[in-house]
């Protein structure tokens, strides 16, 4: 099969599915900061997490999918990545692709959707009747874009995003943010903070959060000092969407279920895809361009690479 190792085109043997695996012919992939981070580390492996495609073979114990099903998913940290013509994924972390989307559009969603869902409903434990103010840092990025949409669709919280450029502010408002502010002028008295950029922010969070407030972070700044949060009894959560697949937790199938739920929301017109750039075909040259776009740090939405 054709694949991209690091950012070099190669030929590799076709993979063989395990008992719970789907063998997927990949039609589109998207690039996330985690892809850039892995490539920069010098690791020589097939990179990539987000993908959409068609099931071509199933393992002996698969019960959620059939050959011919269109799927979308975010892969796993400890398995070869999605930048390949054929890819194996555990059925419990894959969802049925939204019928209303192209493969490219669908590939923009899985990793950010799972991260956003787990942040809102596993970490903050929000419910349909939850209220309060949610501050979303980096609201125009991939995860921020999904946090806004899911919070608006499935809760009653007030969503305030941060964005610094006019086009980013317009994007966040278009997704449903009640308000969008510059990151240098954060609102006071918020209840929840979603943070992809936590370094140097803990004292600020301690100031703007109400007593008993909560933070969910997806980055990993070294030497993080959480002591300023104690006085207000502020909770700090980590979110890593790969935890369930890394440890094969008993509730791993929750990711399949939430992806199917979001596919229904997309097909109903309640949630929209976040692809803003499409490149192709899936090859080293195009992936290099996509990685560069993500590295520059000015992306609104997601960049997708599609087709062979």
């Amino acid at each position: 099969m054709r694949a991209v190792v690091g950012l070099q085109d190669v030929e590799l043997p076709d993979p063989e599915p395990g008992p719970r695996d789907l063998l997927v012919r990949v039609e589109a992939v998207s690039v996330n900061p985690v892809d850039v981070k892995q490539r920069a580390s010098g690791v020589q492996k097939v990179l990539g997490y987000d993908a959409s495609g068609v099931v071509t073979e199933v393992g002996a114990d698969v019960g959620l999918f059939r050959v011919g099903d269109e799927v979308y998913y975010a892969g796993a940290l400890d398995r070869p990545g999605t930048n390949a013509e054929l890819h194996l994924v555990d059925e419990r972390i894959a969802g049925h692709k939204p019928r209303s989307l192209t493969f490219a559009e669908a590939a923009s969603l899985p990793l950010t959707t799972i991260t956003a869902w787990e942040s809102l409903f596993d970490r903050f434990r929000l419910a349909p009747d939850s209220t309060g103010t949610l501050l979303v840092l980096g609201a125009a990025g991939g995860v921020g874009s999904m946090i806004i949409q899911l919070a608006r669709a499935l809760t009653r919280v007030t969503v305030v995003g941060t964005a610094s450029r006019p086009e980013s502010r317009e994007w966040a408002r278009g997704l449903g943010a009640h308000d969008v502010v510059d990151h240098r002028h954060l609102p006071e008295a918020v209840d929840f903070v979603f943070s992809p950029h936590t370094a140097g922010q803990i004292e600020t969070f301690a100031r703007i959060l109400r007593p008993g407030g909560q933070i969910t972070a997806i980055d990993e700044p070294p030497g993080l000092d959480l002591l300023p949060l104690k006085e207000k009894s502020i909770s700090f959560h980590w979110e890593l969407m790969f935890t369930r697949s890394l440890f094969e937790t008993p509730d791993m199938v929750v990711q399949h279920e939430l992806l199917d739920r979001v596919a229904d929301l997309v097909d109903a017109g309640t949630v929209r895809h976040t692809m803003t750039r499409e490149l192709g075909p899936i090859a080293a040259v195009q992936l290099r361009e996509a990685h560069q776009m993500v590295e520059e740090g000015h992306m609104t939405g997601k960049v997708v690479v599609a087709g062979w």
Side-chain angles (χ1 to χ4, degrees):
M1 67 169 182
R2 290 168 287 180
V4 182
V5 172
L7 290 178
Q8 300 293 323
D9 295 319
V10 299
E11 287 287 333
L12 295 174
D14 291 353
E16 296 287 338
R20 297 298 299 269
D21 284 341
L22 311 176
L23 181 63
V24 177
R25 176 178 169 81
V26 174
E27 299 291 343
V29 300
S30 74
V31 176
N32 296 282
V34 66
D35 302 294
V36 172
K37 183 179 177 181
Q38 277 211 327
R39 190 209 77 232
S41 74
V43 63
Q44 289 300 302
K45 62 173 286 188
V46 180
L47 301 178
Y49 294 100
D50 278 331
S52 63
V54 180
V55 177
T56 63
E57 189 177 342
V58 298
D61 297 336
V62 166
L64 301 173
F65 298 91
R66 296 178 296 180
V67 171
D69 283 349
E70 296 180 350
V71 296
Y72 74 140
Y73 58 90
L77 275 179
D78 54 352
R79 302 190 74 172
T82 56
N83 295 342
E85 188 176 12
L86 296 172
H87 183 255
L88 293 176
V89 62
D90 191 298
E91 65 167 346
R92 292 167 290 180
I93 59 172
H96 294 89
K97 181 182 80 67
R99 296 184 301 276
S100 58
L101 299 187
T102 66
F103 285 109
E105 291 166 344
S108 71
L109 291 174
L111 186 148
T112 55
T113 292
I114 297 170
T115 301
W117 186 287
E118 292 184 350
S119 295
L120 292 171
F121 306 116
D122 292 353
R123 308 295 167 249
F124 291 144
R125 298 192 179 278
L126 298 181
D129 60 349
S130 293
T131 57
T133 299
L134 166 65
L135 177 64
V136 183
L137 303 186
V143 180
S145 297
M146 294 309 299
I147 288 265
I148 292 171
Q149 294 191 81
L150 293 177
R152 286 303 313 270
L154 301 173
T155 79
R156 295 171 55 205
V157 299
T158 298
V159 181
V160 179
T162 70
S164 56
R165 295 175 294 133
E167 58 268 35
S168 300
R169 291 193 288 270
E170 181 181 356
W171 172 264
R173 288 194 181 95
L175 294 174
H178 291 92
D179 194 13
V180 182
V181 300
D182 188 279
H183 66 275
R184 292 165 295 188
H185 304 288
L186 300 180
E188 302 285 338
V190 302
D191 301 280
F192 311 97
V193 172
F194 171 79
S195 176
H197 308 295
T198 311
Q201 295 294 317
I202 296 300
E203 290 190 358
T204 298
F205 296 161
R207 174 175 56 81
I208 67 173
L209 276 159
R210 289 190 173 101
Q214 300 183 58
I215 303 161
T216 291
I218 59 171
D219 58 339
E220 55 276 343
L224 195 63
D225 179 10
L226 301 180
L227 193 57
L229 306 178
K230 182 178 181 181
E231 187 175 39
K232 287 185 176 178
S233 298
I234 293 168
S235 302
F236 187 93
H237 311 280
W238 295 113
E239 162 56 22
L240 179 66
M241 61 133 290
F242 299 111
T243 296
R244 283 185 161 112
S245 57
L246 272 174
F247 295 94
E248 203 163 338
T249 60
D251 66 346
M252 188 166 151
V253 74
V254 165
Q255 293 191 344
H256 160 73
E257 295 166 350
L258 73 86
L259 287 172
D260 274 6
R261 174 79 184 280
V262 172
D264 289 341
L265 292 171
V266 170
D267 290 336
T270 304
V271 170
R272 73 190 205 204
H273 72 82
T274 57
M275 182 182 76
T276 53
R277 285 290 303 274
E278 180 179 352
L279 307 175
I282 302 171
V285 170
Q286 286 73 27
L287 283 164
R288 285 192 198 102
E289 182 178 352
H291 274 240
Q292 183 176 356
M293 293 169 62
V294 173
E295 277 184 293
E296 288 171 353
H298 303 304
M299 279 294 302
T300 297
K302 295 289 293 294
V303 56
V304 174
V305 185
W308 292 93

